[in-house]
Amino acid sequence: MCGIVGYIGSKQAQNLLIEGLGKLEYRGYDSAGLAVYNGETIGIQKTEGRLSRLGERLNVQSLPGSLGIGHTRWATHGKPSDQNSHPHTDQTGRFAIVHNGIIENYIELKEELTAKGHVFESETDSEVVAKLLADLWDGDLVSTVQKAVARLSGAYALGIISEFESDKLVAVRQASPLIVGVGEGENFIASDIPAILKHTRNVYILEDGEMAILKADQVTLMKVDGTPVKRDVFRVEWDINTAEKGGYDHFMLKEIHEQPKAIRDTLAGRLKEHNVDLSHEIALSDEEIKSIDRIHFIACGTAYHAGLVGKYVMEEFTRIPVECDVASEYRYRNPIITDKTLVILVSQSGETADTLAALREARKHGAKVLAITNVVGSSIAREADNVIITWAGPEIAVASTKAYTSQLIAIYLLGVYFAQIRGSKTKAELEEVVHHLQELPEKAEIVLGEEKAIGQFARSIASNEHLFFLGRGLDYAVAMEGSLKLKEVSYIHSEAYAAGELKHGTLALIEEGVPVIALATQKSVYEKMVSNIQEVKARGANVLGLAQEGNTELIKSVNEVIHIPATLDLLAPVLTVIPTQLFAYYACQERGYDVDKPRNLAKSVTVE
Amino acid sequence: MCGIVGYIGSKQAQNLLIEGLGKLEYRGYDSAGLAVYNGETIGIQKTEGRLSRLGERLNVQSLPGSLGIGHTRWATHGKPSDQNSHPHTDQTGRFAIVHNGIIENYIELKEELTAKGHVFESETDSEVVAKLLADLWDGDLVSTVQKAVARLSGAYALGIISEFESDKLVAVRQASPLIVGVGEGENFIASDIPAILKHTRNVYILEDGEMAILKADQVTLMKVDGTPVKRDVFRVEWDINTAEKGGYDHFMLKEIHEQPKAIRDTLAGRLKEHNVDLSHEIALSDEEIKSIDRIHFIACGTAYHAGLVGKYVMEEFTRIPVECDVASEYRYRNPIITDKTLVILVSQSGETADTLAALREARKHGAKVLAITNVVGSSIAREADNVIITWAGPEIAVASTKAYTSQLIAIYLLGVYFAQIRGSKTKAELEEVVHHLQELPEKAEIVLGEEKAIGQFARSIASNEHLFFLGRGLDYAVAMEGSLKLKEVSYIHSEAYAAGELKHGTLALIEEGVPVIALATQKSVYEKMVSNIQEVKARGANVLGLAQEGNTELIKSVNEVIHIPATLDLLAPVLTVIPTQLFAYYACQERGYDVDKPRNLAKSVTVE
């Protein structure tokens, strides 16, 4: 996920582009850059770090001119660095491009272009586009772009300028969002509407396989094969805040809804037919993977709860004993670590202070170290020997949602991958898992369809100050996460309990009307779970049950049931957590708090 | 701990004895029995099980007569069974005795008496007393008892009758409680006042080394060497309820105060000079102990929290990786168990259904199994290959206190014992631990001296509905237990957090005036803990800190501090938990609930 902008008109482009990028920082913020045509050549400024850092550089050396493109990056291929920042150019500096998406065939293109003498400066997939334009240059920018695009597979929104035709800005869209803003004597491109909303409310929304040729006073739309496209201008009526959140009221809700995509993206490129292939990402050899005799999941907060699921998943797939601990405890308790221990650190930001310290502690004791993180180039990603990136894109809301589900996906992939190598599951078993993994994005969409019913229950209990989540096995792990989510944003004192443990003390707190969220998706403990539900029902609890599709029994024991689509019990957490996220969101709304910025909390905890 | 009663007078003894035993069931209830002289012989009825079962037997075949003794048992030597129940007799049935205490030299006495032809029927230590009386019979009951007592070491309260002198009941006290009730034409003995309070408020309280000779209309006190004793009658002004609780208002408070004794008793006989010797209790050979490569602590509720301490303790002493899990989760999650796995079950009652099922599951998978329980002959004790009994005596209050501290002691003993055998700690290190273990009973007394200050703080926060316990490392494990205790009896929604984890979500719930109990007894994480305390203080929390004696810093960061006597950090949980128990007790009192019988909860959870 990255953000791109472009401007052509009569004003100075630089500040308009920076301003536009500022509205797209939710799409990425690990580096940024601009390319502006100054009447003779294309000037470039780009830097690792937040947009403000680019601003400082431009204060020292500005980029004059009225044609330009800009980019704010969320690293995918290649860590955040000055070199990997966009825009990218060809070797002569005559073509500059910004790109959002992934060029899947970039390795073969890079080899081909390198063989022809093009020298690459970055580790990105994007740079091939600039080199390809120079290679294919036929004296006409639009025709050259069309030829180049014909060579690309994957997803791309592109913004392109060239010294050769400085009256134009060319944009192309394939599977990554792109809009054209239509102004008075000036026109814009952007990944999203908020970037241009200050200047115009008239936009064209490009569709896949379409391109736009912008001049200062004209916009031409066509398919990439040159077929003209006729489209009405779309008049944006949203305010800027809503626009920034993609039409949702809050980032948290937007990010909950982004989960099908985050799951799909995290799976993408890692499934080869019915197998999982992580060999390009993980440095561990097959021999090393076979030698592992203990796994420790170490994390904080929501990521710790992903680790709790990880314990079940890895033990089930590999039969290696797994321990899961919070980083702030682990690092100080003199844990037992050998060179056969694999320590898996889970952190959305990759900067969580305790998790980073635990990583260093584990390395010091000779452990193999693997990180699951959402941020390429983060401290934890840099210091781990092995990294699995979760392709959730930037998470803005403090309460983590899509990062969690993506972490689960990464853990499943790792489990299957290890099981393939260790032979700890049959081929048929693993293929079944892969098959069901592929269905999860679609099933997550179906769960999101229950939003209204979940919202209603949440509003009905929002005045309570106490609430309990119950589950057994994997449902208990999800209950922990659902409970934390509710606490974080609604400040209801929620607590998760292993359902069988409740009667050893906490049952004393269950009285008439206390809301209980009972997760009952796991077949092997279903009957026991129903017994536990009856224990709380008998004391007057108001119970919302979560069950897999096809369960028609649970409703007899609870007040309301939300169903998730049927899947393997082992994979259910990915779906089960979504109703609990929506539940937290709507409970917060009903109570009137700021869901994106809970009191006392910060997004990424970089203190201990 | 057992209860004894005795009657001599003109009424039928049977029902008076049963009634008296009913008031002593808090002292034991695993079996019961009566001996009544019927004018010719001594009739005996005794049975394993609750007193009600004895009542049923007596309904079928009663024991007529006006001289008798009775017993309610809490097994120590020999499991609960009909044979091991009291009263015990000599082979001719002419002497019958009931005993509370432990005859320490019973093995040598038994050997000696067996060699002389006495045939023992039970596994108890107590039976030697009856056989000894027959062996030493000199034609005078008092003189014979004196000779017998001279041979005994250990603790004993004895009630003795004989066909030879059916106008007498003889009682002896040495280090186990015993009183004489003085009636009109009838007299009584009992372990405790409530047993006789319905019939008389006039009692003699025997002292160690004293005996009483009761006739229907006369009581003679003397030392066991025959020296007469003159004592005033003590007039009991307590009501029956208070009397039953040893002068405390509730069993929970009584049991909190019994902890120094429970700790001492659980250590007793297991420390040989500077070493721990469990070789008589544990069947595991040194080779087996050396072969263990993984330990699982499995338990429920409070016992689970003891297991959490156990994880730290066993890893520290043995460097064997330890996992701690709640039984209801463990048994269903397909745990990884081999024949090198030691599964340690912790259960006060020894009947906890989930823990028992987990034990069976572990055995089925070939694990070595060790139980830590408070009840000899309980299902878990019977089915485990190895058992360490906690000598806490019967725990009546639903909220467990002395059982928990005794479980901790059993775990420390096991840790040291394993470390001796595995050589995983130096002799000097282990001797230091043993030294500090021995000081714990006295230090526990000192903590109980803080009762008033703790009660004050508890009352001051009792109107709050939310409260948090914070700790790191071992303090976190104790925080979990303190929090559960508070929940169980006060119904305040309390939650324990690993202090470093709070800022990953739950910090959102900390606002002005929220009470926080912050445990800061562990040196290695002390500074980090203080930082976490400041995080909650900064948000207005009302903080009670717990620290080791000598800490003069903590008071600067909290509202109040309770100190525990200085000890090894590893042993601190035994002392740290006591203020949290008192805190729960007084919070409950202030809120006006029944502390001994919390709503919705049962003492021993024998359902799943």
Side-chain angles (χ1 to χ4, degrees):
Chain A
M1 209 157 159
C2 301
I4 70 174
V5 293
Y7 176 80
I8 186 164
S10 56
K11 298 177 188 152
Q12 286 297 307
Q14 173 185 300
N15 292 347
L16 293 171
L17 294 172
I18 289 286
E19 205 177 72
L21 290 178
K23 296 295 177 192
L24 298 180
E25 269 200 301
Y26 76 87
R27 300 182 64 83
Y29 44 73
D30 66 35
S31 28
L34 297 188
V36 180
Y37 178 69
N38 63 17
E40 287 185 12
T41 59
I42 297 173
I44 305 264
Q45 278 284 19
K46 58 187 195 175
T47 174
E48 187 194 343
R50 288 264 177 168
L51 197 55
S52 55
R53 195 150 150 203
L54 179 63
E56 287 160 21
R57 295 229 181 158
L58 290 167
N59 284 342
V60 177
Q61 183 161 13
S62 68
L63 293 174
S66 301
L67 167 65
I69 51 181
H71 190 270
T72 182
R73 185 168 184 243
W74 185 254
T76 57
H77 295 71
K79 63 176 185 297
S81 69
D82 290 358
Q83 278 74 31
N84 289 336
S85 305
H86 296 217
H88 292 286
T89 64
D90 72 307
Q91 237 168 305
T92 64
R94 287 182 173 139
F95 297 91
I97 67 106
V98 287
H99 166 223
N100 167 34
I102 292 171
I103 309 296
E104 286 171 8
N105 61 335
Y106 85 100
I107 292 177
E108 62 184 77
L109 289 173
K110 196 166 174 174
E111 283 168 0
E112 178 188 324
L113 291 162
T114 302
K116 287 183 173 175
H118 295 274
V119 178
F120 282 78
E121 288 168 8
S122 78
E123 303 154 323
T124 65
D125 54 334
S126 310
E127 192 181 354
V128 296
V129 180
K131 300 298 196 271
L132 201 55
L133 289 170
D135 194 66
L136 296 171
W137 174 241
D138 63 4
D140 179 86
L141 185 58
V142 171
S143 144
T144 303
V145 168
Q146 286 169 336
K147 286 176 186 162
V149 164
R151 298 293 314 278
L152 303 178
S153 349
Y156 41 87
L158 295 168
I160 300 166
I161 59 174
S162 168
E163 279 178 30
F164 294 124
E165 297 188 24
S166 60
D167 62 335
K168 290 192 190 69
L169 195 169
V170 180
V172 189
R173 167 182 167 143
Q174 176 61 44
S176 291
L178 194 65
I179 58 119
V180 175
V182 184
E184 298 282 326
E186 60 185 5
N187 290 304
F188 305 81
I189 63 166
S191 294
D192 200 357
I193 291 167
I196 53 92
L197 212 51
K198 192 171 161 192
H199 304 286
T200 176
R201 291 188 166 269
N202 297 325
V203 305
Y204 293 119
I205 295 170
L206 292 194
E207 292 183 1
D208 287 350
E210 293 180 351
M211 59 192 292
I213 297 99
L214 284 71
K215 297 188 174 180
D217 51 6
Q218 186 190 39
V219 175
T220 311
L221 304 186
M222 61 178 71
K223 295 201 174 160
V224 289
D225 64 5
T227 320
V229 167
K230 177 112 185 74
R231 177 149 310 143
D232 291 337
V233 163
F234 174 72
R235 175 82 191 165
V236 179
E237 304 295 350
W238 304 335
D239 67 26
I240 183 97
N241 277 330
T242 311
E244 216 172 350
K245 291 157 193 153
Y248 292 98
D249 290 340
H250 299 94
F251 280 113
M252 182 178 174
L253 191 58
K254 172 172 175 279
E255 289 163 5
I256 289 172
H257 279 270
E258 282 171 355
Q259 289 180 108
K261 178 173 176 355
I263 296 167
R264 195 174 285 118
D265 289 353
T266 303
L267 289 170
R270 288 160 171 168
L271 301 180
K272 297 278 152 71
E273 294 177 13
H274 305 298
N275 291 320
V276 170
D277 186 2
L278 298 176
S279 61
H280 300 298
E281 307 173 65
I282 293 183
L284 291 170
S285 70
D286 287 8
E287 285 321 301
E288 285 175 313
I289 289 170
K290 284 176 188 165
S291 76
I292 294 165
D293 72 355
R294 246 180 358 254
I295 296 175
H296 295 172
F297 275 96
I298 308 302
C300 299
T302 290
Y304 167 67
H305 297 153
L308 290 178
V309 174
K311 174 175 167 64
Y312 286 89
V313 170
M314 295 307 285
E315 287 198 347
E316 175 64 28
F317 280 131
T318 68
R319 301 306 285 162
I320 303 170
V322 180
E323 208 173 310
C324 180
D325 207 347
V326 296
S328 64
E329 288 293 309
Y330 183 78
R331 55 183 289 212
Y332 294 114
R333 74 165 166 78
N334 191 13
I336 298 170
I337 296 171
T338 73
D339 62 354
K340 291 181 178 169
T341 308
L342 173 65
V343 177
I344 303 179
L345 295 310
V346 189
S347 166
Q348 187 279 127
S349 68
E351 302 293 346
T352 316
D354 281 316
T355 310
L356 182 58
L359 181 155
R360 290 172 182 163
E361 183 75 13
R363 282 192 73 136
K364 208 167 67 189
H365 286 84
K368 298 173 173 62
V369 169
L370 184 150
I372 295 174
T373 177
N374 198 34
V375 182
V376 175
S378 58
S379 301
I380 289 173
R382 284 199 313 274
E383 296 195 23
D385 308 317
N386 305 276
V387 182
I388 303 179
I389 295 291
T390 53
W391 298 117
E395 198 175 53
I396 303 296
V398 168
S400 176
T401 53
K402 62 178 181 172
Y404 173 80
T405 39
S406 307
Q407 286 158 358
L408 297 189
I409 297 297
I411 289 166
Y412 292 123
L413 290 169
L414 189 69
V416 174
Y417 183 63
F418 275 22
Q420 288 166 188
I421 291 166
R422 293 172 65 103
S424 45
K425 285 276 175 190
T426 66
K427 203 164 175 316
E429 285 170 323
L430 294 176
E431 286 184 6
E432 195 192 5
V433 174
V434 169
H435 170 72
H436 279 91
L437 276 172
Q438 284 170 309
E439 291 182 342
L440 285 179
E442 197 180 329
K443 289 177 178 173
E445 287 286 6
I446 295 170
V447 182
L448 290 167
E450 298 288 332
E451 185 163 359
K452 205 172 153 192
I454 298 161
Q456 261 168 8
F457 192 84
R459 278 187 290 267
S460 77
I461 62 80
S463 62
N464 284 271
E465 292 300 328
H466 306 273
L467 185 147
F468 294 88
F469 279 81
L470 299 184
R472 282 173 174 257
L474 279 166
D475 279 337
Y476 172 46
V478 177
M480 301 268 285
E481 171 56 12
S483 174
L484 178 66
K485 212 55 42 194
L486 185 66
K487 267 185 186 164
E488 280 182 304
V489 300
S490 79
Y491 317 145
I492 295 173
H493 193 172
S494 169
E495 195 171 2
Y497 254 79
E501 188 65 1
L502 198 67
K503 59 188 168 302
H504 294 282
T506 302
L507 194 57
L509 269 67
I510 302 293
E511 52 184 346
E512 194 62 37
V514 169
V516 170
I517 316 284
L519 284 59
T521 73
Q522 300 291 306
K523 282 170 212 76
S524 63
V525 289
Y526 180 75
E527 297 300 330
K528 302 281 174 189
M529 185 63 203
V530 170
S531 302
N532 299 137
I533 290 171
Q534 282 159 352
E535 288 165 11
V536 296
K537 271 304 281 178
R539 274 120 192 142
N542 177 16
V543 184
L544 173 67
L546 297 184
Q548 291 200 35
E549 196 62 50
N551 178 319
T552 54
E553 288 298 308
L554 190 60
I555 188 64
K556 297 174 192 165
S557 310
V558 301
N559 299 70
E560 290 195 41
V561 176
I562 300 289
H563 287 96
I564 60 165
T567 185
L568 297 181
D569 285 7
L570 197 65
L571 304 184
V574 176
L575 304 178
T576 314
V577 76
I578 297 175
T580 72
Q581 297 166 339
L582 289 166
F583 183 79
Y585 175 80
Y586 283 104
C588 171
Q589 292 313 300
E590 184 71 11
R591 289 165 71 95
Y593 298 121
D594 180 350
V595 76
D596 283 335
K597 289 188 179 154
R599 67 186 179 205
N600 301 345
L601 303 182
K603 178 63 185 164
S604 162
V605 181
T606 53
V607 296
E608 290 166 5
Chain B
M1 209 155 158
C2 302
I4 70 174
V5 292
Y7 175 79
I8 187 164
S10 55
K11 299 178 189 152
Q12 288 295 308
Q14 174 185 301
N15 291 347
L16 293 171
L17 293 172
I18 288 285
E19 205 178 70
L21 290 178
K23 296 295 177 192
L24 297 179
E25 269 199 301
Y26 77 87
R27 300 183 63 83
Y29 45 72
D30 66 35
S31 30
L34 298 188
V36 180
Y37 177 71
N38 63 17
E40 288 185 11
T41 58
I42 296 173
I44 304 264
Q45 278 284 21
K46 58 187 196 177
T47 174
E48 186 195 344
R50 288 266 178 167
L51 196 55
S52 55
R53 198 151 148 201
L54 179 63
E56 289 161 19
R57 296 229 181 157
L58 291 167
N59 285 343
V60 177
Q61 182 161 11
S62 67
L63 293 175
S66 300
L67 166 65
I69 52 179
H71 191 270
T72 183
R73 184 167 185 245
W74 185 254
T76 56
H77 295 70
K79 63 177 184 298
S81 70
D82 290 357
Q83 280 73 32
N84 290 335
S85 305
H86 297 217
H88 293 286
T89 64
D90 71 305
Q91 237 169 307
T92 65
R94 286 182 175 138
F95 297 91
I97 67 106
V98 288
H99 168 223
N100 168 33
I102 292 171
I103 309 295
E104 287 171 7
N105 60 335
Y106 85 101
I107 293 177
E108 62 184 77
L109 289 173
K110 195 166 177 175
E111 284 168 1
E112 178 188 324
L113 291 161
T114 303
K116 288 183 174 177
H118 294 274
V119 179
F120 282 78
E121 289 168 5
S122 78
E123 304 154 322
T124 65
D125 55 335
S126 310
E127 191 181 355
V128 296
V129 180
K131 302 296 194 274
L132 203 52
L133 289 170
D135 194 66
L136 297 171
W137 176 240
D138 63 6
D140 180 85
L141 185 58
V142 172
S143 144
T144 304
V145 169
Q146 286 169 338
K147 286 176 186 162
V149 164
R151 298 292 315 276
L152 304 177
S153 350
Y156 42 88
L158 295 168
I160 301 167
I161 61 174
S162 168
E163 278 177 32
F164 295 122
E165 298 187 24
S166 62
D167 63 336
K168 290 192 190 69
L169 195 169
V170 180
V172 189
R173 167 181 168 146
Q174 176 60 44
S176 290
L178 194 65
I179 59 119
V180 175
V182 182
E184 299 282 323
E186 58 184 7
N187 290 303
F188 305 81
I189 63 165
S191 295
D192 199 358
I193 290 168
I196 53 91
L197 213 49
K198 193 171 161 192
H199 305 286
T200 176
R201 291 190 165 271
N202 297 324
V203 305
Y204 293 119
I205 296 171
L206 292 193
E207 293 183 1
D208 287 351
E210 293 180 351
M211 61 192 292
I213 297 101
L214 285 70
K215 296 187 174 179
D217 51 8
Q218 185 189 40
V219 174
T220 312
L221 305 185
M222 60 179 70
K223 296 201 175 163
V224 288
D225 64 5
T227 320
V229 167
K230 177 113 184 75
R231 177 149 311 143
D232 291 336
V233 161
F234 175 72
R235 175 82 192 165
V236 179
E237 305 293 351
W238 303 336
D239 66 27
I240 183 97
N241 277 329
T242 311
E244 217 172 350
K245 290 156 195 154
Y248 292 98
D249 290 339
H250 299 94
F251 281 114
M252 182 178 173
L253 191 59
K254 171 171 175 278
E255 289 163 4
I256 289 172
H257 280 269
E258 282 171 354
Q259 288 180 110
K261 178 171 173 6
I263 296 167
R264 196 175 286 118
D265 289 354
T266 303
L267 289 170
R270 289 159 171 168
L271 300 180
K272 298 276 152 73
E273 295 177 13
H274 304 298
N275 290 320
V276 170
D277 186 3
L278 298 175
S279 61
H280 301 297
E281 307 173 67
I282 293 183
L284 290 170
S285 69
D286 287 7
E287 283 322 300
E288 285 175 313
I289 290 169
K290 285 178 188 162
S291 77
I292 294 166
D293 71 356
R294 251 187 345 262
I295 296 175
H296 295 171
F297 274 97
I298 308 301
C300 299
T302 290
Y304 167 66
H305 297 154
L308 290 178
V309 174
K311 174 176 167 65
Y312 285 90
V313 170
M314 295 307 285
E315 288 199 346
E316 176 64 26
F317 279 131
T318 68
R319 301 306 285 163
I320 302 169
V322 180
E323 208 174 311
C324 180
D325 207 349
V326 297
S328 64
E329 288 293 309
Y330 183 78
R331 55 183 288 211
Y332 295 114
R333 75 166 165 78
N334 191 13
I336 298 170
I337 296 170
T338 73
D339 61 356
K340 292 182 178 168
T341 308
L342 173 65
V343 177
I344 303 179
L345 295 310
V346 188
S347 166
Q348 187 279 128
S349 68
E351 302 293 346
T352 316
D354 281 316
T355 309
L356 181 58
L359 182 155
R360 290 171 181 162
E361 183 75 13
R363 283 191 72 133
K364 208 168 66 191
H365 287 85
K368 297 173 175 61
V369 170
L370 185 149
I372 295 175
T373 177
N374 199 35
V375 182
V376 175
S378 59
S379 302
I380 289 173
R382 284 198 313 274
E383 297 195 22
D385 308 316
N386 304 276
V387 182
I388 303 180
I389 295 291
T390 53
W391 298 118
E395 198 175 55
I396 304 297
V398 168
S400 177
T401 53
K402 62 178 182 172
Y404 172 81
T405 38
S406 307
Q407 286 158 359
L408 296 189
I409 297 296
I411 289 165
Y412 292 123
L413 290 169
L414 189 69
V416 174
Y417 183 63
F418 275 22
Q420 287 166 190
I421 291 167
R422 294 172 64 103
S424 45
K425 285 275 175 190
T426 67
K427 204 164 174 316
E429 285 169 325
L430 294 175
E431 286 184 4
E432 194 191 4
V433 174
V434 170
H435 169 72
H436 280 91
L437 276 171
Q438 285 170 308
E439 291 182 341
L440 285 178
E442 197 180 330
K443 289 178 178 172
E445 287 287 6
I446 295 171
V447 181
L448 290 167
E450 297 288 332
E451 185 163 0
K452 204 172 152 192
I454 298 161
Q456 260 168 8
F457 192 84
R459 278 187 290 268
S460 77
I461 61 81
S463 62
N464 285 271
E465 292 299 329
H466 306 273
L467 185 147
F468 294 89
F469 279 80
L470 299 183
R472 284 173 173 257
L474 279 166
D475 279 337
Y476 172 47
V478 177
M480 302 268 286
E481 172 55 13
S483 173
L484 178 65
K485 213 54 40 193
L486 185 66
K487 266 185 187 165
E488 280 181 305
V489 299
S490 78
Y491 318 144
I492 294 173
H493 192 172
S494 169
E495 196 172 1
Y497 254 80
E501 188 67 0
L502 198 68
K503 59 188 168 298
H504 293 282
T506 302
L507 193 57
L509 270 66
I510 303 293
E511 51 184 346
E512 194 62 35
V514 170
V516 170
I517 316 285
L519 284 58
T521 73
Q522 301 291 305
K523 282 172 213 73
S524 64
V525 289
Y526 180 76
E527 297 300 329
K528 302 282 174 189
M529 185 63 204
V530 170
S531 302
N532 298 137
I533 291 172
Q534 281 159 353
E535 288 165 10
V536 297
K537 272 302 284 179
R539 273 121 192 140
N542 177 16
V543 184
L544 173 67
L546 297 185
Q548 291 201 35
E549 196 61 51
N551 178 319
T552 55
E553 288 298 308
L554 189 61
I555 188 63
K556 298 174 191 164
S557 311
V558 302
N559 298 72
E560 290 193 42
V561 176
I562 300 290
H563 287 97
I564 61 166
T567 184
L568 297 179
D569 285 7
L570 198 65
L571 304 183
V574 176
L575 305 178
T576 314
V577 76
I578 297 175
T580 72
Q581 297 166 340
L582 289 167
F583 183 79
Y585 175 80
Y586 283 104
C588 170
Q589 292 314 299
E590 183 71 12
R591 290 164 70 96
Y593 300 120
D594 180 350
V595 75
D596 283 336
K597 289 189 179 153
R599 67 185 179 207
N600 302 345
L601 303 181
K603 178 64 185 163
S604 162
V605 181
T606 53
V607 296
E608 290 166 5

